[in-house]
Amino acid sequence: MLLNILDSICEEYINIFMFGLNIFILLLLVSLLIFVRDSKKRWNKMNDYLGDVTKTVNSVRYGDLTKKINELDIPDSKDLTESLNRMIETLKDREIMINEFQKDLLKQNRILEQVLNSLSDGLMIVDENYIIQRATKRVAKWFDSEGKSLPGHSLHDYVEIPRKKPVHLLNNDDVSVPTKRDLNFCISSVELNIDDDREKFLVILKDVTAQKELETLKDDFVATLTHDLKVPIIAETNMLELLLDGSFGDVGDKQKVALKNMQTSNKELLDLVQVVLDTYKIRDGRITLYKENIMLESFIEEIFSEMKPIANKTKNELVFIRERNIWVYADRFQLKRVIKNLIQNAISYGKPKTPIEVTIGEIPEFVTIKIKDYGAGISREELDKIFNRYYSAAKKFRKIGTGLGLYLALQISKAHNGDLTVDSKEGEYTEFCIKIPVNYERNSILY
């Protein structure tokens, strides 16, 4: 009986337990069903969100900055959406700024191109091998070529330039263009500082035809004028000598002084005319040197004897400084002209009662003759100009000058394969240095 009761109680508990278990399983299944359904919805939303982001990013990638990411009810997505949309707005603003900048840059480029094409000179960019990179329309017109076809070609194909001369050494060199034989050109170059593997140069080609014609006319006029002027001046000189010699009767002492002053002025005038004429001859390449071996010691002393009367007027002392005697192989007349001109300048522009030093010496390959005065000196600005034709400092000192003396002295020095240089300090000194190639055969013996 008791067992029956216990069995019935156990069975009852088992039934209750099974019922509870079934209820739990059912609830678990329902919960799983609800969770899976919600997860699927969230996954679909996330998938849609990621798809929207991908489409927007691709649109931005290809330049469409009008797209934006739509906001979805996904946790933690709001901040990301706002950040991406702000980035797209920023890119859009930058695109507008870049477009405006590009428009302005294109406008400036067109203006610059028009300015360059309006220049009378032709401009080219070439590398160190003369290969043309770019060229203006003026160059293309001179070369009878389309501008776009010039890049990649050698400049030697269009301009006759010494092939061994490096680009960076071009400096107002006369050249010819086969397609424009009736025109005269000169060419120069400027190095460009460009970050590139190869050096680049701006080459400037100038049409100097009109300038050459004008210089020829001017030189021809000067040559004709000076040649014609010499005739009456020489005739006047001869007449003054006859008067002083008494060929036309006795001449009083006062008359002799007047005639001698006229003779001195006449000689200075003849010298000026001769300088102008010689300058024309040198420029025309017609100077002829008659070289001989010259012993500088006696040569300088001979010049001193001629210049001392002039130096005495300003109480300047001519001082000759030398360590040993030196020989030079030069044109006696032309070299004397250069030295006398420099001494004359030292007297004219130096201080009275100060020494004028003439020093002979040697440097590798050259004999040097230095003329130094202790006068007003030459400013740094004038140092670059004093050897130019027709440039003269005479007006500064209220003196008469043609501006050809130093130019002629430089050309004579160069004709000897030498040079003429100057060193000066304002208010202290000026020193000119004549350089003549050394005569090793003669200078092997010390004197």
Side-chain angles (χ1 to χ4, degrees):
M1 180 81 178
L2 181 59
L3 290 172
N4 290 333
I5 292 173
L6 289 172
D7 288 339
S8 58
I9 291 172
C10 288
E11 185 177 353
E12 185 70 22
Y13 276 109
I14 290 171
N15 290 333
I16 292 172
F17 175 76
M18 292 302 295
F19 179 75
L21 180 62
N22 289 332
I23 292 298
F24 174 77
I25 293 172
L26 180 61
L27 290 173
L28 180 62
L29 291 173
V30 171
S31 297
L32 288 172
L33 181 62
I34 294 171
F35 176 78
V36 169
R37 188 178 64 181
D38 290 344
S39 297
K40 186 177 181 180
K41 288 181 180 179
R42 285 197 300 270
W43 178 254
N44 288 336
K45 285 183 179 180
M46 181 62 70
N47 194 35
D48 292 341
Y49 179 75
L50 292 175
D52 190 23
V53 171
T54 303
K55 288 180 181 179
T56 303
V57 169
N58 285 331
S59 297
V60 172
R61 177 185 175 189
Y62 291 106
D64 185 2
L65 299 177
T66 61
K67 299 290 185 181
K68 287 188 177 181
I69 300 172
N70 297 319
E71 292 187 8
L72 296 177
D73 187 17
I74 298 176
D76 300 327
S77 67
K78 185 176 181 181
D79 291 341
L80 178 61
T81 300
E82 289 178 354
S83 297
L84 290 173
N85 285 336
R86 281 198 301 270
M87 183 186 71
I88 294 171
E89 287 291 337
T90 302
L91 290 174
K92 188 175 181 180
D93 292 339
R94 294 291 186 273
E95 183 186 43
I96 293 172
M97 291 174 60
I98 291 171
N99 288 336
E100 292 296 327
F101 179 75
Q102 286 179 332
K103 289 180 182 178
D104 186 59
L105 190 61
L106 288 172
K107 181 179 178 181
Q108 297 297 328
N109 189 47
R110 284 195 295 268
I111 293 173
L112 180 60
E113 186 176 359
Q114 290 177 5
V115 170
L116 292 177
N117 288 328
S118 66
L119 295 175
S120 59
D121 299 337
L123 305 179
M124 292 168 283
I125 297 177
V126 304
D127 64 16
E128 70 273 19
N129 297 319
Y130 281 99
I131 302 302
I132 301 172
Q133 310 294 314
R134 295 190 64 181
T136 60
K137 290 183 178 179
R138 180 79 59 182
V139 172
K141 183 178 178 182
W142 284 336
F143 294 172
D144 289 342
S145 175
E146 292 291 334
K148 295 180 180 180
S149 66
L150 289 176
H153 286 79
S154 173
L155 185 58
H156 289 293
D157 296 339
Y158 305 96
V159 181
E160 294 179 353
I161 307 171
R163 289 188 174 271
K164 293 183 179 180
K165 188 162 191 177
V167 183
H168 68 275
L169 293 181
L170 295 176
N171 184 20
N172 288 326
D173 294 286
D174 291 329
V175 295
S176 62
V177 177
T179 55
K180 292 288 182 288
R181 290 290 186 186
D182 56 327
L183 301 179
N184 296 304
F185 293 92
C186 72
I187 195 168
S188 299
S189 67
V190 178
E191 186 173 357
L192 300 175
N193 293 321
I194 301 175
D195 294 332
D196 203 343
D197 294 337
R198 291 188 173 183
E199 292 181 295
K200 297 290 191 305
F201 299 88
L202 176 65
V203 174
I204 305 165
L205 189 65
K206 294 183 179 182
D207 178 4
V208 293
T209 306
Q211 180 181 340
K212 291 285 186 182
E213 291 176 351
L214 182 61
E215 288 180 357
T216 301
L217 288 173
K218 182 174 66 176
D219 289 343
D220 288 346
F221 170 76
V222 171
T224 303
L225 179 63
T226 53
H227 186 271
D228 291 344
L229 282 174
K230 284 184 67 177
V231 176
I233 294 173
I234 292 173
E236 183 180 348
T237 299
N238 294 333
M239 186 61 67
L240 289 171
E241 289 179 357
L242 291 173
L243 286 170
L244 287 169
D245 290 341
S247 299
F248 300 105
D250 294 334
V251 178
D253 293 337
K254 292 184 178 180
Q255 292 171 326
K256 283 184 178 180
V257 171
L259 289 173
K260 285 182 178 180
N261 288 334
M262 290 176 62
Q263 192 177 42
T264 300
S265 299
N266 206 53
K267 184 179 182 302
E268 291 176 354
L269 179 60
L270 185 60
D271 289 341
L272 288 174
V273 172
Q274 188 62 44
V275 166
V276 175
L277 184 59
D278 287 341
T279 302
Y280 167 78
K281 289 180 179 179
I282 287 177
R283 179 174 176 80
D284 202 36
R286 289 187 287 160
I287 185 172
T288 302
L289 299 179
Y290 300 96
K291 294 183 179 181
E292 59 181 287
N293 288 306
I294 302 171
M295 185 183 290
L296 279 181
E297 183 173 1
S298 58
F299 183 65
I300 298 297
E301 288 175 351
E302 179 184 328
I303 294 173
F304 272 20
S305 65
E306 296 178 17
M307 298 300 296
K308 275 183 179 178
I310 302 174
N312 290 338
K313 293 180 180 179
T314 54
K315 297 183 179 179
N316 291 111
E317 180 186 2
L318 299 180
V319 179
F320 186 22
I321 304 171
R322 73 276 195 189
E323 294 182 358
R324 71 180 185 93
N325 197 16
I326 303 174
W327 290 82
V328 292
Y329 188 60
D331 185 304
R332 177 178 289 270
F333 173 77
Q334 297 293 357
L335 183 58
K336 179 183 285 191
R337 164 183 277 182
V338 173
I339 297 173
K340 288 179 68 174
N341 177 264
L342 295 176
I343 294 176
Q344 179 65 60
N345 285 346
I347 295 171
S348 298
Y349 305 125
K351 290 181 180 178
K353 302 179 182 180
T354 59
I356 295 173
E357 300 171 350
V358 178
T359 306
I360 60 174
E362 293 173 275
I363 59 174
E365 307 295 331
F366 293 96
V367 170
T368 61
I369 306 169
K370 298 180 180 180
I371 296 90
K372 185 175 184 179
D373 71 79
Y374 296 90
I378 304 172
S379 68
R380 187 177 298 274
E381 293 76 15
E382 287 182 312
L383 279 176
D384 297 330
K385 303 176 184 177
I386 59 173
F387 292 114
N388 294 344
R389 281 201 310 163
Y390 306 118
Y391 180 82
S392 174
K395 291 182 180 179
K396 179 179 177 181
F397 299 96
R398 300 178 181 270
K399 298 177 184 290
I400 298 173
T402 61
L404 292 174
L406 289 177
Y407 170 81
L408 186 60
L410 175 62
Q411 299 309 314
I412 292 173
S413 300
K414 287 184 174 181
H416 283 83
N417 297 318
D419 199 4
L420 176 61
T421 58
V422 61
D423 178 37
S424 183
K425 187 173 181 179
E426 279 193 278
E428 294 189 16
Y429 70 89
T430 298
E431 182 178 75
F432 286 90
C433 179
I434 306 165
K435 300 176 183 178
I436 303 294
V438 67
N439 185 341
Y440 288 108
E441 182 179 351
R442 281 285 185 176
N443 288 310
S444 61
I445 304 175
L446 295 179
Y447 291 86

